[in-house]
Structures are given as C-alpha cells and as structure tokens.
C-alpha cells in the first residue's frame, strides 16, 4: 500500500492514491509537546503521531512533503518519496476545519483556530527564545514602571477628585473607579454637559447613569468657567493617558514574559510572573532559588521580623496574589502556597536552562494538588490555645480596577 | 487639525474611505481590535464603529489600491498566507478586511520584527504569527492550510521563486497571488520596468494569469504590485 502522509499541528493523516482518508492519529493538545514535535520535524523527525500511524498501517511506500524526514523514514525500513501538495495534502489542507471536526480533534471551528493560534504563538516564541538574552530585565523594568504608574494614578486621582468636587462634589461618592471618574471629567467637563448617551458610551449601567444625572441636576457644587474646567481636564486627560500606557505595558510584559519565562507565566500569569522576576532580580536568580524562598519572596520584612522575634514565618509573599491562594480559606493558604512555589521553582529552572514548554503539564499537576488540598483540608483545623499569628505583609494590590482608599 | 466628517464605502469589500472636513480622503478599515492601533495610525470612531486610517505610504496594498487596483482578492472570509509580515502594518489591515472568519497566516523570519508582530497579533485572533523562512514552506506546512490568496512582500532577489514555491504548496485552484516587487532588491543596475517584465514572465511560465501590474510610485519608489491568478 502506498500512502500520502500529511503532518499537521492537529495530527498525522494517511491518504490513499484516490485522495481518500485511510487512517489518522491525532496529536495531543499539550502545546509544549506539539511545538516540540513540529520543531523536531523541521530537522527531519516525523511527528510522533506520524510514527504511530505508520506502525499501525505498515505501508510499502510513503509520500511526504518534508524532504528532511526521508532519511529517517528509510532508516526505519519505509520506502519514502517527496511530492509536495500531493493528492493527500491537498485534500487535507483544503478542508482543515471540516477534518478537525470529523475526527473530533475539536468540537467547533473556533476551538480549532484558537488551538492553532496558541500553537503558532508558542512555536514562534520558542524560536525567539533561542535569541533571548537579558530580555527578562526588560520585563522587570516594565513591571516596575507599572508600579510607579499605579502610585501616580492614585496620587493624581485623589487630587482630581478634590479639585473637581468644587464643581460637582456628589460625583466623588457615586463613582469609585478612578478611570471612570477621569473619563467623566474628560468627556463632559461641566456637570450640566453630562448626557445619558455619553455615559452609556463610557459603559456605565443605566441605573448608575440615572443616579448620576439626577445628582448633576441637583448638585450643590459651585459654578465654574470653561477656563477652570480646562485646567481640571489636563489632569484627568493625564490620568487616562497613564491608564492607556499601563495597558500597553501590560501587553508588552505579557509578550516578553511568554517569550523568556513561558512556564512561570503559564503558572501565575505575566504580571505576577514579572513581579517574581523583579523580586528575585532576574530569571537566573529566580531559577537558583529553592522553592521555600520563592514561597516568601516579597515578604522579607515579615520574614525578618519573625526571625528576630522568633515568631511564625510568613506563609507567602507576593504569590499571595495567586487567586487560588487569596480566595481560599486561611488554613489552606500555606499549603497551596507551598505547592505553587514548588512548581514555580521547576518552571523557573526549565525557563532558564532549557526553554522547553512544560507549562500545561505543570499547571495541570498544580491544579490537581490544589484540589487534593481542598478536599483533604476542607474543615478548619481545631483551634489551639489562642496564639496570635503575625499577619504576613503582602503587596496584594488589586489589578486593573483600582479601588479607592478609605477616606 | 483636519477632522474626519464621514466614512464611506469603497468598491472593495471592507475597505472604506474617511472624508476629512478639508475635502481630502484616506483609506481606512474597520478595527478588529478596537482601542488598539498598530503603527501610530489614527483611530476614528463614527456612529459606534471604530476605523483605522490606512497609510498608503506605509502599506503597499493601500498604495496599490490608491493607484487604481481593479480587483482586490482579499475579502471577507479570505484565507491568506502572508509572506514578509514584518511588524504587522499591512497584515493588521488584512486581518481587519478578512474579519474573524478569515485567517491570516503571517510568516516573517526576522526575530526583531516578529516581536512587534506578536504584539499586534495578541489582539487579533485571526492573525497567526509564524517565525519562519519563506524559502522553506515545508517548515510551516503543519501550521497553515490552503489559502485563497498568497500575499508576498519579502524584497528578496529570488522572491518570485519563493512565491512560486509557496503557491505550489498552499494555493488553492483559481486562487490569487499578490506580490510586491522591489526592483532594486532584484537588480539595482537594471531598469525597473525590465525587471517587472522578467518576473511576470516567470509567473506566467508557472501557470499564472497576470491580471494587473501596478507601479506604486509615489507611495513606494521602484516598486510594483503584481496580481495574478493561478490557473
Ligand atoms: C518590505 S518588508 C514587509 C512589509 C510588510 N509587508 C508590510 O507592508 O507591513 C519585508 C519583510 O520581509 C522579510 N523577509 C525577507 N526575506 C524573508 C524570508 N525569506 N522569509 C520570511 N521573511 C522574509 C523581512 O525580514 C522584512 O521584514
């Protein structure tokens, strides 16, 4: 039997001389595995799914599209030849979405394309990683810049609220979110220019808009001139610009982090990942740290206090930001933190020393471990004799939505 | 500063023209990634829809359209293989035009610009960034599918051969090739017109029907855009 072998990110497919699909073996959906296989394929290794397919079908002759894999196939006793865009690959590549559905690789077209999207990104980043040097330091500076921006946004927003309150004091309590507040000032200026339409464009709910409009009508604030408003607006425009820069930087950090530290990033996301790098100093430094140190990174003050006073050491530092930690009951947090830190230590080492992507696997293992902790320690431990625990200090600042400080 | 007063349809699907209050017009596309611009281009919001100005001096496809291209094979739902995606200037507009059901497979081999391309693709689920050398289509065959349009802008001396090879790999029957030819990167000493002729001949020998050859000046000096259909 002669088959036309088609290799693709979704699997290996064998077609006969009439262009009919004979058999196939699908790839795993593990991004790291798929990308590794694709990169090996460039160097002449058939995909693992293709090897499986061939050993299943035992064809006399195989037609492939990648010349580089012919020697490897022949070494394994298969007669191989090259023919690009042959009857098989044409049939396959002209109906990729249909085949993905028919073979149940995915259950929808969107799912197929989002898989391919992820694969191309990981493939491309993997190739970039080879040329990455000191790019971790870029991510670190960017995350520090974000922290500076956050401080500035808070400072400016407090000033804006105080300033604009001379004209429209009621708005201060109605709108908690700093960005929305700045948006309203920038967009309308005078309180009697505020319209329902405009508020809707800003994404405010109908109910809130109504309350705001009523408040504007009945406001006890002072009248101000266009010139007065112009000055206030310079500040609100600046705040909005800072938010815009913050978003761009967040994007940028994501891109750099996925390139230089894909495994750490898959575990904890780009922002927290970058914070860990920032606290450690570099990816290399993070990779050299034991899990127990990673667990308390960012809680140095509490750690030293505990050491000095022989109190309890903190259970977590900056990784407190990891949702599964801060949303879990107190008695589970330390255990989850330890599990996460252990995975992070592995992730950082693989990122630093091999660049392979095992993030999906690590993530799955971690999720499993957290499930275990959650079932095993579902109940709070029996109360011991009252003993004050030193509360860990953490920089658990809220992302994106900046809530106001208590006044 | 001049302001956009309205946005009008052009004869090409999903390509628009914004009209300024001083009477001038510029091409634009509907932004698939609202709020994000790619190369500093202006974002224009009109009756709830965001458009991106499309600079004809920065994009050869826009330049070709301004110079009177008669047919644009890139339409809604098109699957496009884009060789020489660079930092994503034109690919981002192609991504706008084909919309979510269309796909843009963007191949680029320079790591430095791919980093920028990734930032653009991060907000565009229909734009697939692929770091690879267009000379070896077998390396990315596993990431793509057959396409309706092969768009080539790689400024290489042997770019026509590279285009042909990719067409052999991935172009559907009766599908289109759009290729930007940079005369100077093929041979600085020859007259650009001679060069276009020679490259077009190579395409014809490979079974392409040449539909149009458009000179891109003043948008791009010594460049031409070839539109061909594979028979
Ligand atoms: C003129 S620029 C393309 C500009 C882009 N098409 C646009 O309009 O936004 C040419 C690009 O082709 C890339 N290139 C050149 N040879 C290539 C090859 N063999 N494979 C992939 N990309 C290549 C270059 O790195 C460069 O970024």
């Amino acid at each position: 039997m002669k088959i036309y072998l088609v290799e693709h990110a979704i699997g290996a497919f064998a077609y006969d001389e009439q262009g009919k699909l004979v058999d196939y073996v699908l790839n795993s959906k593990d991004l790291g595995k798929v990308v590794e296989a694709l990169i090996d394929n460039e160097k002449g290794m058939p995909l693992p799914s293709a090897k499986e397919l061939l050993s299943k079908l035992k064809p006399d002759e195989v037609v492939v599209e990648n010349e580089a894999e012919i020697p490897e196939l022949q070494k394994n006793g298969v007669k191989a030849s090259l023919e690009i865009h042959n009857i098989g690959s044409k049939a396959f590549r002209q109906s990729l979405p249909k085949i993905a559905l028919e073979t149940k690789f995915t259950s929808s077209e969107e799912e197929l394309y989002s898989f391919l999207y992820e694969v191309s990104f990981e493939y491309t980043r993997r190739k970039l990683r080879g040329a990455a040097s000191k790019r971790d330091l870029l991510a670190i500076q960017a995350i520090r810049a974000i922290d500076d921006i956050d401080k500035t946004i808070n400072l400016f927003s407090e000033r804006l609220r105080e300033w604009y309150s001379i004209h429209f004091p009621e708005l201060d309590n109605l709108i908690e979110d700093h960005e929305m507040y700045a948006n309203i000032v920038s967009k309308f200026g005078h309180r009697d220019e505020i319209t329902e339409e405009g508020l809707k464009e800003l994404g405010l709910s109908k109910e809130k808009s109504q309350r705001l409009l009523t408040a504007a009508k009945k406001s006890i604030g002072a009248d101000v001139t266009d010139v007065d408003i112009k000055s206030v607006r310079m500040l609100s425009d600046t705040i909005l610009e800072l938010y815009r820069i913050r978003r761009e930087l967040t994007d940028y950090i994501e891109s750099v982090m996925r390139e230089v530290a894909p495994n750490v990033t898959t575990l904890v996301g780009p922002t927290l990942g970058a914070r860990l790098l920032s606290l450690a100093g570099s990816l290399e430094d993070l990779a050299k740290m034991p899990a127990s140190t990673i667990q308390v990174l960012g809680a140095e003050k509490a750690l030293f206090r505990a050491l000095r006073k022989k109190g309890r050491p903190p259970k977590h530092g900056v990784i407190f930001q990891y949702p599964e930690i801060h949303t879990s009951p107190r008695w589970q947090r330390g255990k989850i933190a330890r599990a996460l830190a252990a995975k992070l230590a592995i992730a950082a080492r693989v990122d630093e020393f091999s660049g392979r992507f095992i993030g999906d696997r690590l993530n799955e293992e971690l999720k499993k471990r957290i499930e275990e902790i959650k079932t095993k320690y579902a109940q709070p431990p029996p109360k011991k004799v009252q003993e004050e625990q030193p509360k860990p200090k953490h920089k658990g600042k809220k992302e994106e939505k900046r809530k106001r400080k208590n006044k | 500063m001049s302001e956009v007063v309205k946005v009008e349809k052009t004869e090409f699907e999903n390509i628009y023209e914004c009209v300024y209050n001083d009477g001038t017009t510029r091409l634009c596309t509907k932004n698939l990634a609202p709020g994000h611009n790619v190369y500093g281009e202006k974002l224009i919001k009109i009756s709830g829809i965001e458009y991106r100005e499309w600079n004809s001096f920065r994009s050869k496809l826009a330049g070709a359209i301004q110079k009177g291209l008669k047919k644009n094979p890139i339409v809604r739902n098109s699957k496009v293989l884009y060789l020489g995606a660079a930092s994503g200037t034109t690919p981002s507009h192609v991504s706008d035009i084909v919309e979510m059901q269309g796909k843009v497979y963007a191949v680029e081999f320079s790591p430095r610009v791919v980093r920028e391309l990734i930032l653009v693709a991060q907000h565009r689920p229909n734009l697939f960034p692929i770091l690879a050398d267009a000379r070896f289509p077998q390396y990315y065959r596993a990431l793509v599918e057959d396409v309706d349009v092969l768009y080539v802008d790689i400024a290489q001396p042997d770019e026509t051969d590279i285009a042909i090879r990719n067409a052999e790999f991935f172009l559907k029957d009766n599908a289109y090739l759009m290729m930007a030819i940079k005369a100077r990167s093929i041979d600085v000493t020859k007259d650009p017109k001679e060069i276009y002729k020679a490259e077009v001949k190579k395409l014809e020998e490979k079974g392409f029907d040449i539909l149009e050859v458009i000179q891109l000046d003043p948008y791009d000096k010594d460049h031409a855009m070839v539109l061909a259909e594979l028979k």
Side-chain angles (χ1 to χ4, degrees):
Chain A
M1 179 182 42
K2 174 177 177 179
I3 63 153
Y4 293 86
L5 176 67
V6 184
E7 292 166 292
H8 193 267
I10 71 167
F13 300 77
Y15 286 82
D16 68 14
E17 283 169 280
Q18 276 72 50
K20 279 199 61 170
L21 181 61
V22 183
D23 203 354
Y24 60 89
V25 174
L26 297 178
N27 286 342
S28 95
K29 282 189 192 148
D30 183 316
L31 280 187
K33 280 189 189 150
V34 174
V35 168
E36 202 119 314
L38 293 183
I39 287 175
D40 286 346
N41 182 255
E42 294 180 6
K43 298 176 209 129
M45 283 303 289
L47 300 184
S49 50
K51 283 195 217 155
E52 198 184 322
L53 184 62
L54 292 180
S55 67
K56 222 163 112 188
L57 292 174
K58 299 205 173 32
D60 314 313
E61 198 186 338
V62 185
V63 182
V64 294
E65 287 189 294
N66 180 14
E67 204 171 354
E69 56 187 286
I70 291 180
E72 183 64 31
L73 287 169
Q74 280 172 341
K75 214 167 67 193
N76 287 305
V78 187
K79 194 176 157 212
S81 60
L82 178 75
E83 191 190 325
I84 62 167
H85 220 196
N86 53 54
I87 191 159
S89 49
K90 244 186 199 157
F92 178 83
R93 283 200 295 266
Q94 295 197 352
S95 40
L96 169 68
K98 213 170 119 228
I99 292 167
L101 293 183
E102 280 169 6
T103 59
K104 302 208 163 52
F105 181 77
T106 53
S107 53
S108 72
E109 206 172 308
E110 288 98 77
E111 199 188 323
L112 164 70
Y113 284 109
S114 82
F115 173 77
L116 286 181
Y117 184 75
E118 297 290 330
V119 173
S120 357
F121 266 90
E122 182 46 36
Y123 169 92
T124 294
R125 289 191 183 110
R126 176 73 202 266
K127 289 187 154 182
L128 285 177
R129 238 165 266 157
S133 78
K134 300 225 168 179
R135 294 186 64 76
D136 54 334
L137 302 185
L138 295 173
I140 289 172
Q141 290 303 327
I143 197 81
R144 291 181 186 165
I146 283 192
D147 290 340
D148 293 345
I149 287 175
D150 286 345
K151 278 185 213 141
T152 313
I153 285 178
N154 267 314
L155 194 66
F156 281 4
S157 292
E158 293 303 331
R159 173 65 52 231
L160 176 69
R161 283 169 187 272
E162 218 178 299
W163 192 352
Y164 192 64
S165 285
I166 298 171
H167 173 56
F168 187 6
E170 297 79 2
L171 187 66
D172 188 26
N173 282 324
L174 278 169
I175 302 293
E176 289 241 299
D177 182 61
H178 286 334
E179 189 175 13
M180 183 56 84
Y181 191 98
N183 258 318
I184 291 171
V185 178
S186 278
K187 192 174 173 103
F188 306 106
H190 287 282
R191 62 169 187 254
D192 47 12
E193 302 270 309
I194 300 178
T195 61
E196 193 174 349
E197 258 277 77
L199 290 173
K200 198 175 150 201
E201 264 173 43
L202 290 179
L204 219 59
S205 74
K206 205 168 176 175
E207 194 211 337
K208 214 159 201 172
S209 300
Q210 283 310 332
R211 266 197 284 160
L212 207 153
L213 284 165
T214 322
K217 227 178 270 162
K218 294 198 214 145
S219 177
I220 56 161
D223 281 342
V224 292
T225 68
D226 285 352
V227 181
D228 300 329
I229 286 291
K230 195 177 153 209
S231 293
V232 184
R233 258 187 179 155
M234 283 196 283
L235 188 57
S236 57
D237 286 348
T238 305
I239 292 169
L240 293 177
E241 179 64 7
L242 287 173
Y243 272 107
R244 199 190 59 75
I245 295 173
R246 191 186 196 284
R247 273 189 276 270
E248 293 243 331
L249 286 179
T250 309
D251 249 29
Y252 169 72
I253 288 173
E254 159 135 34
S255 164
V256 177
M257 283 299 291
R258 291 209 184 272
E259 182 188 326
V260 300
N263 297 301
V264 169
T265 307
T266 303
L267 280 175
V268 295
T271 311
L272 179 49
R275 289 232 152 80
L276 285 165
L277 291 193
S278 170
L279 288 164
S282 70
L283 175 60
E284 191 184 344
D285 291 321
L286 186 67
K288 287 180 179 156
M289 284 179 178
S292 55
T293 306
I294 295 176
Q295 192 181 335
V296 294
L297 262 185
E300 284 77 8
K301 268 197 213 146
L303 184 64
F304 290 132
R305 194 180 335 110
L307 290 175
R308 256 198 330 269
K309 298 189 183 158
K310 297 218 163 29
R312 286 219 207 152
K315 290 198 223 104
H316 31 63
V318 71
I319 63 171
F320 181 76
Q321 286 174 15
Y322 187 69
E324 284 282 12
I325 296 181
H326 67 251
T327 60
S328 292
R330 242 160 240 293
W331 64 89
Q332 294 175 358
R333 291 181 185 171
K335 293 182 175 62
I336 298 176
R338 179 137 33 89
L340 174 60
K343 291 295 176 218
L344 277 169
I346 299 171
R349 281 167 215 172
V350 176
D351 283 339
E352 170 67 19
F353 299 111
S354 89
R356 278 175 57 219
F357 182 73
I358 55 166
D360 288 349
R361 262 167 285 168
L362 289 177
N363 227 349
E364 229 164 81
E365 287 164 17
L366 177 64
K367 292 264 145 72
K368 233 193 244 156
R369 177 73 192 119
I370 292 176
E371 266 322 296
E372 266 172 39
I373 292 171
K374 291 204 164 269
T375 34
K376 203 164 160 204
Y377 301 96
Q379 297 306 318
K383 278 231 167 76
K384 287 188 209 140
V385 202
Q386 283 298 318
E387 178 191 342
E388 268 302 302
Q389 272 190 35
K391 282 219 178 95
K393 258 216 171 145
H394 45 71
K395 297 189 183 163
K397 277 191 211 149
K398 275 229 163 152
E399 291 283 282
E400 289 310 336
K401 240 198 211 162
R402 239 119 251 294
K403 283 276 150 100
R404 308 193 48 201
K405 280 187 235 128
N406 290 335
K407 270 189 141 186
Chain B
M1 234 180 64
S2 52
E3 234 181 274
V4 178
V5 285
K6 61 180 173 186
V7 170
E8 287 177 342
K9 284 190 172 179
T10 66
E11 60 188 298
F12 301 116
E13 189 173 48
N14 276 351
I15 298 177
Y16 302 85
E17 218 165 38
C18 42
V19 183
Y20 289 80
N21 55 1
D22 61 6
T24 59
T25 62
R26 239 161 278 172
L27 292 177
C28 57
T29 56
K30 237 188 247 175
N31 195 356
L32 191 83
H36 296 275
N37 61 1
V38 173
Y39 51 101
E41 76 281 13
K42 221 202 244 157
L43 301 179
I44 300 139
K45 209 162 176 180
I46 275 191
S47 43
I49 299 173
E50 189 176 289
Y51 298 86
R52 296 162 56 225
E53 205 174 87
W54 191 2
N55 188 332
S56 308
F57 289 92
R58 301 280 300 272
S59 166
K60 282 163 216 142
L61 181 55
I65 289 169
Q66 296 287 35
K67 289 276 315 228
L69 184 77
K70 288 194 205 71
K71 180 189 169 75
N72 177 22
I74 301 172
V75 292
R76 179 183 294 125
N77 298 351
S78 291
K79 291 182 174 162
V80 181
L81 176 59
Y82 195 119
L83 306 181
S87 51
T89 303
T90 308
S92 66
H93 287 288
V94 173
S95 147
D96 284 346
I97 296 168
V98 303
E99 291 186 12
M100 269 307 292
Q101 290 301 306
K103 308 290 166 220
V104 186
Y105 296 101
V107 175
E108 168 59 50
F109 79 166
S110 152
R112 203 173 50 77
V113 293
V114 164
R115 293 201 168 98
E116 294 171 38
L117 178 64
I118 281 183
L119 283 171
V120 175
Q122 257 177 10
H123 298 286
R124 298 176 168 272
N126 67 357
L127 180 57
F128 303 73
I130 299 173
L131 173 54
D133 189 330
R135 286 191 185 87
F136 309 106
Q138 63 268 35
Y139 292 171
Y140 46 89
R141 77 190 190 292
L143 290 168
V144 304
E145 60 189 309
D146 282 2
V147 294
D148 307 299
V149 183
L150 173 63
Y151 186 99
V152 183
D153 183 9
I154 54 177
Q156 291 283 344
D158 56 344
E159 65 163 272
T160 308
D161 298 319
I162 298 174
I164 289 169
R165 181 146 172 82
N166 278 274
E168 282 168 357
F169 251 96
F170 306 114
L171 209 50
K172 293 180 188 167
D173 295 335
N174 303 317
Y176 297 90
L177 165 70
M178 256 190 148
M179 181 168 76
I181 303 180
K182 182 177 176 183
R184 274 180 302 132
S185 75
I186 291 174
D187 191 336
V188 267
T189 61
K190 282 207 188 100
D191 175 11
K193 290 218 173 79
E194 293 299 313
I195 292 172
Y196 305 146
K197 245 188 226 156
E199 302 306 304
V200 157
K201 197 161 159 243
K202 279 190 214 162
L203 290 176
E204 280 172 337
E205 279 164 8
K206 287 289 172 182
F208 281 100
D209 257 2
I210 308 300
L211 304 182
E212 290 181 62
V213 180
I214 294 200
Q215 317 250 1
L216 297 180
D217 63 288
Y219 300 112
D220 254 300
K221 253 193 101 201
D222 296 338
H223 275 76
M225 181 72 84
V226 180
L227 175 62
E229 187 177 358
L230 187 62
K231 278 290 139 197

